């Protein structure tokens, strides 16, 4: 890694998240400020393999900070997982003189970057682009705050109709392996219960509590992370309904799905993405590689990929306590 980085490529990989465009914008403009050339790699690692790479300038990222999604597109590339695919990707970078990469994505994207960097001696820095907030080495991930607020807006609206009809709503939010969206939107939305993959879900307790709650509350909201051990919100609703066995009680399910991935990023996500984007370029200039630029305790930090990949990020215990306490 002795050669100074002078031309960088930037790509978005894996699932999209609000704020990715703000991160791209920061990478491009920080690179140009430092007299570097910058290239956008389309469709994630697929663009590296298929040579879908474009030169970028200041105008390339004008008027995108407020947009959801990613102007560079994203995908998951099976070919890049093979040595032959990575070799093709390297050759496409080499012919343009690209000698540094910024990868905006999550755990799987960082695995690919680490392997590629080790094989071809190209410095890579990752940015935490995922709505799930499940990456170690940063307090928040790009897109999480927007996803929580999107879910919260939906929960608020569903609560209106739940109260109007004296219904119990089971609301499924994203979170296949992590319950951060469920927990924070559940607290903000005043949910009576939040079910997440990290903790054991007790149907008997839910049934007992719902029976007690019905004496003082006409409606209830139960937020379920899609990765909960008991299954989907639909499955859990049926388990509860079968145990309560009261035809007068009305149970409904709403799955929020991919609306949590889209939309305008919040101010917090735009600022986080911009800080991380600037940090990535400055890290490459400083000789850093195989690490992620994140923000912890208000400060930019660089965490080695090996300390980010596959490292479970625990929920905050007080958050779970808060849900139980405030639902009384």
């Amino acid at each position: 890694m002795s050669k100074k980085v002078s031309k960088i490529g930037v790509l978005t990989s894996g699932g999209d998240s609000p704020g990715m465009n703000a991160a791209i914008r920061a990478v491009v403009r920080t690179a140009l400020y430092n007299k570097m050339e910058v290239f956008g790699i389309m469709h994630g690692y697929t663009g590296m393999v298929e040579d879908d790479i474009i030169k970028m300038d200041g105008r390339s990222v004008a008027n995108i900070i407020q947009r959801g999604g990613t102007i560079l597109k994203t995908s998951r590339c099976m070919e890049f997982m093979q040595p032959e695919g990575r070799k093709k990707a390297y050759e496409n970078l080499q012919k343009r003189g690209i000698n540094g990469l910024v990868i905006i994505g999550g755990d799987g994207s960082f695995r690919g970057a680490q392997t590629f960097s080790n094989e071809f001696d190209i410095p890579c820095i990752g940015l935490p682009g995922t709505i799930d907030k499940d990456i170690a080495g940063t307090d928040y991930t790009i897109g999480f705050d927007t996803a929580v607020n999107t879910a919260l807006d939906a929960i608020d609206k569903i609560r209106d109709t739940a109260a109007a009809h004296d219904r119990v709503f089971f609301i499924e939010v994203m979170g296949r392996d992590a319950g951060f969206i469920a927990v924070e939107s559940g607290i903000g939305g005043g949910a009576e219960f939040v079910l997440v993959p990290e903790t054991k879900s007790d149907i008997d307790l839910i049934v007992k509590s719902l029976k007690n709650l019905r004496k003082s509350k006409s409606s209830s909201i139960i937020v379920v992370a899609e990765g909960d051990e008991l299954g989907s919100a639909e499955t859990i609703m049926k388990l509860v309904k079968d145990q309560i066995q009261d035809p007068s009680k009305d149970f409904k399910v709403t799955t929020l799905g991919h609306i949590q991935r889209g939309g305008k990023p919040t101010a917090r996500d735009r600022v986080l993405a911009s800080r991380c984007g600037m940090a990535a370029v400055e890290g490459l200039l400083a000789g850093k590689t195989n690490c992620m630029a994140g923000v912890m305790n208000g400060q930019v930090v660089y965490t080695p990929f090996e300390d980010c990949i596959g490292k479970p990020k625990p929920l905050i215990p007080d958050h779970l306590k808060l849900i139980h306490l405030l639902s009384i």
Side-chain angles (χ1 to χ4, degrees):
M1 305 291 182
S2 57
K3 187 176 180 181
K4 183 178 178 181
V5 175
S6 57
K7 296 184 180 183
I8 65 171
V10 57
L11 61 90
T12 49
S13 175
D16 63 307
S17 61
M20 280 185 164
N21 282 326
I24 295 165
R25 174 179 179 268
V27 168
V28 170
R29 293 196 169 171
T30 304
L32 295 175
Y33 176 83
N34 285 281
K35 312 301 182 188
M36 305 165 76
E37 291 185 59
V38 58
F39 296 82
I41 301 169
M42 303 299 296
H43 298 282
Y45 291 120
T46 300
M48 286 174 60
V49 175
E50 297 181 355
D51 201 20
D52 192 0
I53 301 171
I54 58 173
K55 184 79 175 289
M56 302 188 79
D57 57 24
R59 287 183 295 178
S60 302
V61 292
N63 198 32
I64 68 168
I65 193 170
Q66 78 281 7
R67 290 168 55 185
T70 162
I71 63 167
L72 295 179
K73 311 294 184 181
T74 184
S75 68
R76 292 176 173 86
C77 181
M78 300 302 293
E79 192 173 356
F80 190 79
M81 296 180 183
Q82 306 302 318
E84 298 79 10
R86 292 193 294 273
K87 186 173 184 294
K88 285 170 63 178
Y90 172 70
E91 290 169 351
N92 289 329
L93 298 184
Q94 194 175 42
K95 69 185 181 184
R96 291 176 175 82
I98 297 172
N99 55 4
L101 288 175
V102 177
I103 297 92
I104 307 167
D107 190 274
S109 304
F110 296 166
R111 290 181 193 273
Q114 185 176 43
T115 300
F116 186 74
S117 178
N118 291 337
E119 286 180 346
F120 298 104
D121 197 32
I122 289 185
C124 295
I125 292 186
L127 301 187
T130 170
I131 66 170
D132 291 327
K133 206 183 86 163
D134 58 348
I135 299 177
T138 186
D139 290 335
Y140 286 87
T141 56
I142 298 165
F144 172 75
D145 189 65
T146 306
V148 168
N149 278 283
T150 297
L152 181 60
D153 183 59
I155 290 169
D156 287 346
K157 291 172 180 176
I158 291 168
R159 183 174 286 284
D160 289 344
T161 196
H165 293 272
D166 291 344
R167 286 172 175 162
V168 176
F169 265 88
F170 292 77
I171 303 173
E172 184 173 302
V173 300
M174 282 187 163
R176 187 181 59 222
D177 301 308
F180 292 102
I181 293 175
V183 168
E184 294 209 14
S185 64
I187 292 172
E192 279 68 38
F193 304 96
V194 175
L195 308 183
V196 295
E198 293 90 337
T199 62
K200 183 175 177 59
S201 299
D202 188 336
I203 288 293
D204 292 335
L205 177 63
I206 294 170
V207 169
K208 180 181 177 181
S209 298
L210 273 179
K211 287 179 178 178
N212 291 333
L213 283 171
R214 296 290 288 190
K215 297 173 183 177
S216 59
K217 295 184 179 182
S218 60
S219 62
S220 296
I221 297 292
I222 300 172
V223 176
V224 182
E226 62 182 330
D228 186 75
E229 61 167 350
L230 293 178
S232 67
E234 182 76 27
T235 298
I236 294 168
M237 183 275 289
K238 289 177 180 177
L239 290 171
V240 172
K241 185 177 181 179
D242 287 346
Q243 287 203 32
I244 290 181
Q245 293 186 338
D246 184 347
S248 69
K249 290 180 171 57
D250 196 3
F251 298 90
K252 297 292 183 182
V253 174
T254 299
T255 301
L256 300 186
H258 285 77
I259 66 165
Q260 295 158 92
R261 285 243 189 114
K264 290 183 178 181
T266 60
R268 172 175 283 191
D269 274 330
R270 297 183 201 192
V271 172
L272 173 64
S274 299
R275 292 187 71 188
C276 290
M278 181 178 72
V281 176
E282 292 180 344
L284 288 173
L285 287 171
K288 296 183 183 296
T289 186
N290 275 343
C291 62
M292 181 194 75
V295 174
M296 298 186 74
N297 298 319
Q299 301 298 314
V300 169
V301 294
Y302 297 93
T303 304
F305 280 151
E306 56 262 31
D307 293 333
C308 300
I309 296 170
K311 299 295 172 98
K313 187 173 183 178
L315 296 173
I316 299 172
D318 280 356
H319 282 179
L320 298 174
K321 178 182 177 182
L322 194 60
I323 292 165
H324 175 71
L325 186 151
L326 297 181
S327 68
I328 297 173

